[in-house]
Amino acid sequence: MLEIVGYVALVFLSISIVIGLYRVIKGPSMPDRVVALDTIGINLISAVAVISIALDSQAFLEVILLLGILAFIATVAFSKFIERGVVIERKRDR
Amino acid sequence: MDKFSAHVNSIICLHHTPIQHSIQGLLRIQNIFLSKGRLAKKTSVSEHSGVLFETLGGHALNWLNFAIFLPILYAVFIPFFYKKIPRIHTGWFVFPIPLVLFIYLATFIPGVANDHVFTQTVYWIPSIGINFVTYLDGLSLILALLITGVGALVILYSVYYLSMKRESLHHFYIYLLLFMGAMLGVVLSDNLMVLYLFWEMTSVSSFLLIAFWYQRDKSRYGAQKSLLITVFGGIAMLAGFIMLYAMTGTWSLRDIIGQAGELSDATLFIPAMILILLGAFTKSAQFPFHIWLPDAMEAPTPVSAYLHSATMVKAGIYLVARFTPLFGGDATWFWVVSTVGLITLFWGSFTAVRQTDLKALLAYSTISQLGMIMSMLGIGSAALYFDGGSDSFKYTSLAVLAALFHLVNHSTFKGALFMVVGIVDHETGTRDIRRLGGLMTIMPITFTFAAIGSFAMAGLPPFNGFLSKEMFFSSVLRAAELGIFNMETFGLLFPIIAWLASVLTFVYCMILVFRTFTGKYKPEKLEKNAHEAPLGMLIPPGILVSFVIVIFFFPQTLADYILNPAVQAVLPLPIETNAEYYTNITAWHGWHAPELWMTVAVVVLGSVLFLYLRKWQGVYALFPREWSFNSAYNAMLVGSEKGSQRLTGSYMTGYLGHYLAYIFVFIILSVAATIFATNGFVIDTSNDASVNLYEMILIGIIAVAAVAIIFAKSRITAIILNGVLGYMVAIFFVIFRAPDLALTQLVIETVSAALFLLCFYFLPEWKEEKISRKMKSFKLALSIGVGTLITLITLSIQGNRLFDSISVYFEDAYELAGGKNIVNAILADFRAFDTMLEILVLCIAGLGVYTLIKLTSTEGGDKRESE
């Protein structure tokens, strides 16, 4: 029973990633793409969690944590780039 | 106790053996001195073994090898003399060397005249049979005496010719001594590799000497030309030598010649012959490789006199003579050598007549005379075809004698003539025939020398050139009657060409003497007031012309002591047969001899041609300069440069895309072709796991993202898509149960996305790449090809597992390494070396990035660290 649920959940998660990918490719604006990438990241977190249940393993829990952090960092970096053109600003005194 | 000491002894022996060995190898200097008979037939070795191991005071022979190295070693001290003793002309310190060597070599004359051969071995690379083996027989002796004798005279002459103040004398004498040593090495070496070594040394030192006045364009041009041509021949010769080694298994000339009879059927026999002849022809300025010699006349006159008349150009003659016992008697050898020699003889004398520069005239005359010697050696090689005793044998062996005789004669009179021209140049400031004239009364001694030298060259009595020319006529006249090698067809041309060339030789000899020394004196055209040369400058040509006359009156002495042993070396036949050609060299053949009338006709027609030179000089207009071999050489030089430039330019475009295309095309062609040829594409999916629906969807996402990157319209879209790709790969690591990989992949993916964004600040606006549709489709095809290939290979690898995995051994990680995480145990314990080096890679990358950022270039272009 649990296996079937996991399988179905994974399929649906994959489909939502596909939809996210459609937004990444289609755009039309850059923020759309960044948000879509963020969405894909969140979907991946769920997918990893489901896979962990399916594999009956605890080895991938760090991956979930890390994905959460990195998806955030990536989104922030992209946002900053879109807004200012740079990711890390120079010091004022130079 | 005994047992123990024996054991110790054996240890000591073992310990010392390699050292002892090498010392022995260094010191093992062999002295043997053999009878000539062993060359001819193996049986005659025993016959003459009575003479074989007679010792001759032993110590005297030790110096034979040293004689070659003496000039080279002495060259080291020349700069010392030049700097420390500037008051005395450096030439005086060099002068004793060739003199001593000449006297030393002259002591071998009695031995060689009695058919002895002297050899000495110093081991160099014994493991591959390359040693300094000196081998002195009649032929080597002639050349060695010429090298040292003419060398001494040339150095004496150069002392007066070269100014102490203006010239860098130390360079000159170092080059000259190097050349002398190298030349002695060429003629005295028995080992082919050593012979080649010295051969190239003569090329290089000649190159240095020709460009002695390196400020001049023409000197550099001449030096480059001579080096290119002679080294081309030298390398061909090396290939020939290696072929000989391949056939015989020895580098020793004597051993190779000893196997002469067995070689003539070998496949490599003719190629080796042609390659060795190429070497000889380029060195001896034979047609069509003669073009370097006239340009080498930019060298100082002593160099021209020494290298380009008496010694270096005779290295090729020596080589042909030396290999005659091996190749002689073969039709190819006979035809190539004699025909090339005759063409060179004719073309050289024909071209010499049109020259207006005295040295150029002498250069072409040298070419022509060398051709004559070469053709005689060619005709003489037929002697090995006959058994001896017959008339044919007599005349062909006479040709060899004539060749060697003329070799000596030519060195004497041509050396003298070059020195005379040098004197004229030195005292008047010009060598142009059109500006010279009427010097007879001003420079009477020089005129006498010039006349004697020229008449000897023209073949007039009472000078030595007459004797050798008569012998040349006798041998070419009989060549047509030999009845071998289809001589009856073209053989008739031999005497005609030879006779015509002699007429032209007579003409240019007369030009040389009479245009320079008679007629009207034109002081207004000369840079200096002409006057007689100093005595020291006159002594060397004086000695040479006295030889010219002495040899005419006493040719038999020369023949007995030097020439006949040399003939014996070129035609190594049993002594009994050779008694045939211990002929007398006579000046008088009798009234009925055709040679005499040929000479008379040469004089008559030559005089007529000389007197009416203006009338027929139009003939030369038929051979415009654009059609000469020189322009062919220049065109070849320019063409090869341009061609290679065009070739390189055509594929070295500077575009990375093109280079990548070459690499990918090569990969596709080589790898795909190899796998197809070996039938390697075997795809077997029976062992593969089944694919789930969500996995398919995830794969589809990767594929779509990858393809979308190609069509992305902005950089940031491409980056985001790349991020999608990277995250999807991470999820696959999760699905395939690799948590460590997934973690690393996620971090790296994010960091590289951030790095890409960092770079964007500095990049120009995104632009559509402008390439043609054709190029686009080519790139598409190429990338599809590479992708398909890699996919096929991966699938084939899956289907072709040859061995089981070794991962079972790592499953004991906890027991062996104390870690439950296998991946980390492998990284840090089982295979930690890789990890260490990967850390190093990261360190280097970090340092590199830091340096690139911090090291800014200043305006001057030199880099300095900011802050």
Side-chain angles (χ1 to χ4, degrees):
Chain A
M1 187 61 196
L2 198 62
E3 258 177 47
I4 296 166
V5 172
Y7 183 82
V8 172
L10 275 176
V11 169
F12 277 102
L13 283 168
S14 309
I15 291 168
S16 61
I17 293 173
V18 170
I19 296 166
L21 183 68
Y22 171 78
R23 212 15 82 195
V24 168
I25 294 168
K26 191 73 188 171
S29 73
M30 209 48 75
D32 287 331
R33 293 196 173 102
V34 175
V35 172
L37 183 66
D38 198 27
T39 316
I40 291 175
I42 303 298
N43 277 314
L44 285 178
I45 292 176
S46 323
V48 172
V50 177
I51 291 168
S52 294
I53 296 168
L55 297 177
D56 194 16
S57 148
Q58 295 181 355
F60 299 102
L61 300 186
E62 295 102 323
V63 176
I64 295 171
L65 258 174
L66 195 72
L67 251 176
I69 298 165
L70 291 177
F72 173 70
I73 291 174
T75 314
V76 169
F78 276 112
S79 313
K80 215 172 168 193
F81 181 79
I82 291 166
E83 196 180 55
R84 309 228 178 131
V86 283
V87 180
I88 301 168
E89 283 164 77
R90 292 181 176 208
K91 285 179 200 151
R92 293 269 162 74
D93 52 48
R94 287 196 66 196
Chain B
M1 188 65 199
D2 274 4
K3 220 175 180 180
F4 175 72
S5 67
H7 184 65
V8 168
N9 265 340
S10 73
I11 287 174
I12 290 170
C13 282
L14 274 174
H15 190 69
H16 279 273
T17 311
I19 304 167
Q20 281 174 342
H21 224 80
S22 60
I23 292 173
Q24 273 173 2
L26 281 173
L27 297 184
R28 234 186 311 169
I29 292 174
Q30 257 189 3
N31 281 316
I32 20 167
F33 121 84
L34 304 166
S35 146
K36 184 72 75 52
R38 71 165 295 212
L39 268 180
K41 276 177 185 170
K42 294 228 165 100
T43 50
S44 56
V45 176
S46 56
E47 276 175 36
H48 295 275
S49 56
V51 207
L52 255 169
F53 292 106
E54 258 179 60
T55 43
L56 207 146
H59 63 278
L61 290 172
N62 279 330
W63 295 97
L64 190 55
N65 237 319
F66 186 65
I68 298 172
F69 292 103
L70 179 66
I72 299 169
L73 292 176
Y74 193 77
V76 175
F77 299 104
I78 300 300
F80 173 76
F81 290 130
Y82 180 72
K83 298 275 190 218
K84 295 290 170 189
I85 317 174
R87 288 199 185 163
I88 305 170
H89 197 285
T90 318
W92 289 117
F93 297 110
V94 184
F95 181 59
I97 296 297
L99 203 63
V100 165
L101 287 177
F102 181 77
I103 293 167
Y104 170 66
L105 287 165
T107 59
F108 286 99
I109 294 177
V112 169
N114 286 323
D115 281 334
H116 291 320
V117 172
F118 301 89
T119 74
Q120 189 197 347
T121 306
V122 174
Y123 288 94
W124 181 24
I125 320 174
S127 54
I128 46 172
I130 296 176
N131 301 309
F132 287 109
V133 183
T134 345
Y135 174 68
L136 186 76
D137 63 354
L139 182 61
S140 306
L141 189 64
I142 288 189
L143 269 295
L145 286 175
L146 280 180
I147 291 159
T148 49
V150 180
L153 295 175
V154 159
I155 287 170
L156 183 63
Y157 177 79
S158 71
V159 168
Y160 291 92
Y161 186 85
L162 292 172
S163 156
M164 253 168 75
K165 286 170 196 153
R166 285 194 306 264
E167 312 288 4
S168 52
L169 293 173
H170 51 316
H171 291 149
F172 182 80
Y173 288 111
I174 288 174
Y175 302 159
L176 202 67
L177 281 175
L178 280 181
F179 173 78
M180 191 182 287
M183 198 64 210
L184 279 174
V186 166
V187 298
L188 290 176
S189 287
D190 174 61
N191 195 288
L192 290 181
M193 272 294 145
V194 178
L195 175 63
Y196 172 72
L197 171 84
F198 285 121
W199 184 275
E200 291 301 1
M201 248 176 91
T202 63
S203 294
V204 172
S205 49
S206 157
F207 168 78
L208 291 169
L209 282 167
I210 294 169
F212 179 63
W213 289 313
Y214 54 86
Q215 308 89 341
R216 300 182 187 173
D217 266 350
K218 276 188 161 182
S219 298
R220 298 200 299 268
Y221 173 77
Q224 184 206 34
K225 193 176 191 176
S226 72
L227 190 73
L228 282 177
I229 294 178
T230 51
V231 167
F232 158 72
I235 289 173
M237 190 182 84
L238 176 66
F241 284 175
I242 293 171
M243 285 179 183
L244 281 184
Y245 180 73
M247 281 188 284
T248 61
T250 170
W251 292 114
S252 165
L253 248 170
R254 279 170 299 157
D255 294 352
I256 289 171
I257 289 170
Q259 301 182 24
E262 308 148 26
L263 287 186
S264 50
D265 297 328
T267 356
L268 287 175
F269 185 72
I270 297 291
M273 174 200 290
I274 298 299
L275 287 171
I276 289 172
L277 277 181
L278 260 182
F281 287 168
T282 49
K283 200 73 159 184
S284 280
Q286 299 294 301
F287 189 89
F289 306 111
H290 63 277
I291 48 173
W292 65 268
L293 189 59
D295 283 303
M297 289 302 129
E298 291 301 320
T301 305
V303 173
S304 312
Y306 188 40
L307 272 69
H308 307 128
S309 69
T311 52
M312 188 173 101
V313 287
K314 297 203 167 115
I317 303 278
Y318 167 78
L319 199 72
V320 170
R322 188 44 98 203
F323 278 99
T324 299
L326 179 59
F327 295 118
D330 187 85
T332 320
W333 176 267
F334 173 86
W335 276 107
V336 172
V337 176
S338 52
T339 321
V340 169
L342 279 173
I343 294 172
T344 314
L345 165 65
F346 180 78
W347 187 249
S349 56
F350 180 70
T351 320
V353 177
R354 80 189 288 189
Q355 302 303 319
T356 53
D357 179 46
L358 283 175
K359 268 177 99 175
L361 189 149
L362 285 180
Y364 279 106
S365 87
T366 303
I367 292 168
S368 145
Q369 303 277 314
L370 289 171
M372 176 172 152
I373 300 173
M374 199 63 94
S375 65
M376 282 193 277
L377 281 177
I379 294 167
S381 72
L384 288 167
Y385 189 85
F386 302 105
D387 286 338
S390 60
D391 268 0
S392 308
F393 176 78
K394 197 174 158 194
Y395 285 111
T396 43
S397 60
L398 180 74
V400 174
L401 179 66
L404 296 167
F405 190 31
H406 198 68
L407 179 82
V408 177
N409 293 345
H410 177 251
S411 295
T412 56
F413 62 69
K414 191 51 67 70
L417 282 175
F418 266 109
M419 290 178 187
V420 162
V421 168
I423 290 171
V424 170
D425 188 13
H426 208 259
E427 305 305 332
T428 63
T430 183
R431 299 194 308 251
D432 196 327
I433 294 175
R434 289 163 297 190
R435 289 158 73 185
L436 292 167
L439 295 175
M440 187 163 70
T441 50
I442 301 164
M443 306 166 81
I445 305 174
T446 316
F447 166 69
T448 317
F449 293 167
I452 294 173
S454 302
F455 291 159
M457 185 153 70
L460 300 180
F463 308 111
N464 57 8
F466 174 72
L467 302 175
S468 39
K469 184 149 284 188
E470 294 271 280
M471 286 158 77
F472 173 53
F473 283 154
S474 339
S475 49
V476 286
L477 275 176
R478 267 73 172 196
E481 301 161 12
L482 287 180
I484 50 163
F485 308 146
N486 299 323
M487 268 307 278
E488 62 280 359
T489 48
F490 296 104
L492 286 176
L493 283 174
F494 277 32
I496 298 170
I497 296 172
W499 183 78
L500 276 176
S502 298
V503 172
L504 290 165
T505 306
F506 184 86
V507 173
Y508 70 69
C509 289
M510 295 307 115
I511 293 176
L512 177 66
V513 179
F514 292 109
R515 286 284 153 80
T516 316
F517 291 98
T518 60
K520 232 181 97 189
Y521 178 50
K522 302 165 227 171
E524 71 282 354
K525 285 187 175 174
L526 300 179
E527 285 158 24
K528 299 178 188 169
N529 269 329
H531 57 81
E532 187 54 272
L535 184 65
M537 237 173 163
L538 290 171
I539 289 174
I543 293 172
L544 284 173
V545 293
S546 62
F547 268 111
V548 170
I549 300 171
V550 166
I551 290 173
F552 176 79
F553 287 108
F554 304 101
Q556 204 51 48
T557 319
L558 182 76
D560 285 346
Y561 281 99
I562 296 176
L563 294 179
N564 280 330
V567 173
Q568 176 80 64
V570 179
L571 305 174
L573 296 167
I575 297 288
E576 301 80 56
T577 345
N578 276 354
E580 292 283 335
Y581 54 60
Y582 284 129
T583 44
N584 295 322
I585 300 176
T586 45
W588 185 245
H589 291 86
W591 287 113
H592 300 291
E595 297 91 345
L596 178 71
W597 297 109
M598 277 171 87
T599 305
V600 170
V602 163
V603 174
V604 171
L605 188 67
S607 309
V608 171
L609 283 178
F610 172 63
L611 291 174
Y612 296 99
L613 191 58
R614 296 242 161 75
K615 297 266 166 70
W616 62 275
Q617 237 172 358
V619 175
Y620 287 104
L622 294 175
F623 301 92
R625 295 210 180 267
E626 297 82 62
W627 289 94
S628 67
F629 286 97
N630 269 321
S631 43
Y633 165 83
N634 289 333
M636 192 197 73
L637 213 60
V638 173
S640 63
E641 215 166 278
K642 268 190 187 165
S644 64
Q645 219 160 28
R646 203 171 297 160
L647 182 71
T648 314
S650 67
Y651 70 91
M652 298 285 277
T653 51
Y655 292 109
L656 279 179
H658 291 176
Y659 302 153
L660 277 179
Y662 306 149
I663 294 170
F664 287 140
V665 167
F666 180 76
I667 287 175
I668 291 176
L669 289 181
S670 58
V671 176
T674 314
I675 297 180
F676 264 117
T678 54
N679 233 343
F681 286 122
V682 181
I683 294 165
D684 174 24
T685 53
S686 56
N687 289 331
D688 294 354
S690 59
V691 185
N692 286 326
L693 179 62
Y694 65 90
E695 282 169 340
M696 279 183 188
I697 299 174
L698 292 176
I699 290 167
I701 293 166
I702 288 189
V704 170
V707 172
I709 289 179
I710 303 168
F711 297 100
K713 290 281 181 238
S714 79
R715 286 206 184 94
I716 196 153
T717 316
I719 296 265
I720 293 172
L721 281 165
N722 196 39
V724 172
L725 254 181
Y727 280 8
M728 294 318 293
V729 172
I731 204 74
F732 269 100
F733 284 144
V734 172
I735 293 172
F736 295 136
R737 286 160 222 190
D740 299 292
L741 283 182
L743 284 174
T744 321
Q745 167 68 22
L746 283 170
V747 177
I748 295 299
E749 197 52 48
T750 315
V751 169
S752 46
L755 279 176
F756 277 129
L757 289 174
L758 267 177
C759 302
F760 275 17
Y761 183 69
F762 303 97
L763 288 180
E765 283 299 302
W766 172 276
K767 267 187 286 182
E768 186 90 15
E769 203 181 352
K770 276 177 195 154
I771 51 168
S772 64
R773 181 171 278 277
K774 212 170 146 190
M775 196 66 195
K776 246 180 191 168
S777 42
F778 169 71
K779 283 182 176 178
L780 182 69
L782 197 60
S783 37
I784 288 173
V786 173
T788 320
L789 179 70
I790 300 297
T791 313
L792 283 175
I793 289 174
T794 318
L795 289 174
S796 318
I797 289 171
Q798 282 302 109
N800 286 312
R801 292 258 160 154
L802 293 179
F803 308 105
D804 291 334
S805 166
I806 59 162
S807 60
V808 284
Y809 299 107
F810 296 123
E811 281 164 15
D812 301 337
Y814 189 67
E815 282 101 69
L816 293 172
K820 285 180 182 163
N821 186 331
I822 284 190
V823 176
N824 290 355
I826 290 171
L827 284 179
D829 194 308
F830 294 119
R831 309 206 45 180
F833 263 122
D834 297 351
T835 314
M836 188 179 77
L837 294 176
E838 292 294 341
I839 291 169
L840 190 67
V841 168
L842 285 178
C843 282
I844 292 171
L847 282 175
V849 170
Y850 180 80
T851 331
L852 281 174
I853 292 169
K854 286 291 179 184
L855 210 69
T856 51
S857 65
T858 54
E859 270 181 39
D862 49 316
K863 305 273 167 66
R864 91 184 149 75
E865 213 172 328
S866 63
E867 287 176 78

